[in-house]
Amino acid sequence: SGLPSCEIKILQSLDAGGKIPMIVVNKKIPESLGVIEEIRKSFERDNEVDWASQATVANAIANEEQEYNDEERRVIREGKEFFEKCKMNSELYNLKSRDKKVEMKGVHLKGDNLATCLGTTVVDASVEECAASE
């Protein structure tokens, strides 16, 4: 369509110490990933939206060097490592999404109390516009 777009993935983890049966977790995951549906809808360009101030911030994100402190770099690194570990897991399974434009998957890493879920969609906005959005 010529409009900028980007794929958004949201990764969530729940640590209930293994106390909640996976069947219950799998039923609740699509509800908790509902935020990705809200994000997708907020960037729909079906209706005209005022993007001027957001475009200014997005431009700064895209064109100005970003500075991160040690803690921010550590969190970014650990988040990426965890995401890749989950994404490459052969036990990743599909979950039913409430929105046909949102893909949802779940995974339980062996020996871990975490239930992890991944929601993916494409929005009608650039990465910078997404980052600039409130």
Side-chain angles (χ1 to χ4, degrees):
S1 68
L3 292 174
S5 65
C6 68
E7 182 178 69
I8 292 182
K9 295 181 183 227
I10 293 183
L11 184 69
Q12 294 180 340
S13 296
L14 166 69
D15 185 354
K19 305 277 191 242
I20 301 175
M22 286 307 293
I23 193 165
V24 173
V25 172
N26 290 343
K27 184 175 174 149
K28 293 297 184 183
I29 285 174
E31 291 175 24
S32 71
L33 285 176
V35 68
I36 200 163
E37 179 181 345
E38 293 172 29
I39 291 169
R40 185 190 64 74
K41 287 179 179 177
S42 75
F43 283 103
E44 272 183 343
R45 292 195 176 165
D46 297 341
N47 299 319
E48 200 57 40
V49 178
D50 178 12
W51 291 89
S53 64
Q54 188 172 334
T56 302
V57 175
N59 184 53
I61 292 170
N63 298 308
E64 296 176 16
E65 187 172 340
Q66 305 300 305
E67 296 180 20
Y68 302 101
N69 65 34
D70 290 341
E71 176 66 9
E72 290 167 328
R73 283 191 288 276
R74 181 189 64 76
V75 169
I76 291 168
R77 184 186 70 252
E78 288 177 3
K80 285 180 179 179
E81 289 169 358
F82 182 72
F83 174 74
E84 289 301 320
K85 182 178 167 183
C86 291
K87 190 171 74 168
M88 300 311 245
N89 190 303
S90 62
E91 296 178 26
L92 202 60
Y93 52 89
N94 290 323
L95 295 166
K96 183 169 174 55
S97 174
R98 302 179 305 182
D99 183 333
K100 67 181 181 176
K101 293 182 179 181
V102 175
E103 177 184 30
M104 295 184 182
K105 295 182 180 268
V107 66
H108 180 254
L109 302 175
K110 288 189 188 315
D112 202 339
N113 290 333
L114 294 177
T116 302
C117 48
L118 174 66
T120 305
T121 194
V122 174
V123 297
D124 294 333
S126 68
V127 170
E128 295 82 11
E129 288 172 319
C130 291
S133 177
E134 293 180 14

